[in-house]
């Protein structure tokens, strides 16, 4: 089904972003878009899921370009 495909894609995006943030130490939405080829919206969607799962933290405020994301240590 479409829902299964979007869920699987979301999991792939989350893994990609987690690896990228982990490798860089921290990353902005723009860094992650450029580094993965995902759209800004795909990145934001996956970041929200990672935040909700407690795997990453936001350094800064939502809507601010310089806001970076880091792995929870």
């Amino acid at each position: 089904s479409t829902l299964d495909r979007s869920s699987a894609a979301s999991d792939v995006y989350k893994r990609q972003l987690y690896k990228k943030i982990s490798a860089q130490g921290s990353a902005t939405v723009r860094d992650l878009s450029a580094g993965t080829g995902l759209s800004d919206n795909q990145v934001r969607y996956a970041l929200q899921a990672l935040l909700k799962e407690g795997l990453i933290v936001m350094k800064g405020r939502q809507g601010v370009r310089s806001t970076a994301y880091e792995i929870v240590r």
Side-chain angles (χ1 to χ4, degrees):
S1 79
T2 304
L3 185 59
D4 291 338
R5 274 195 301 264
S6 69
S7 177
S10 176
D11 287 345
V12 170
Y13 299 162
K14 287 190 310 187
R15 274 195 297 277
Q16 274 184 290
L17 297 185
Y18 187 86
K19 283 183 190 173
K20 190 87 174 141
I21 296 167
S22 189
Q24 290 182 209
S26 86
T28 64
V29 169
R30 187 159 289 189
D31 294 335
L32 294 167
S33 292
T36 60
L38 299 174
S39 72
D40 287 357
N41 284 338
Q42 288 171 314
V43 168
R44 284 188 195 95
Y45 183 82
L47 286 172
Q48 287 305 315
L50 290 168
L51 284 165
K52 197 172 180 180
E53 292 169 23
L55 297 172
I56 62 170
V57 291
M58 183 189 312
K59 299 291 184 180
R61 291 192 335 271
Q62 200 159 359
V64 178
R65 282 182 198 217
S66 60
T67 295
Y69 297 85
E70 297 177 358
I71 301 298
V72 171
R73 306 244 174 248

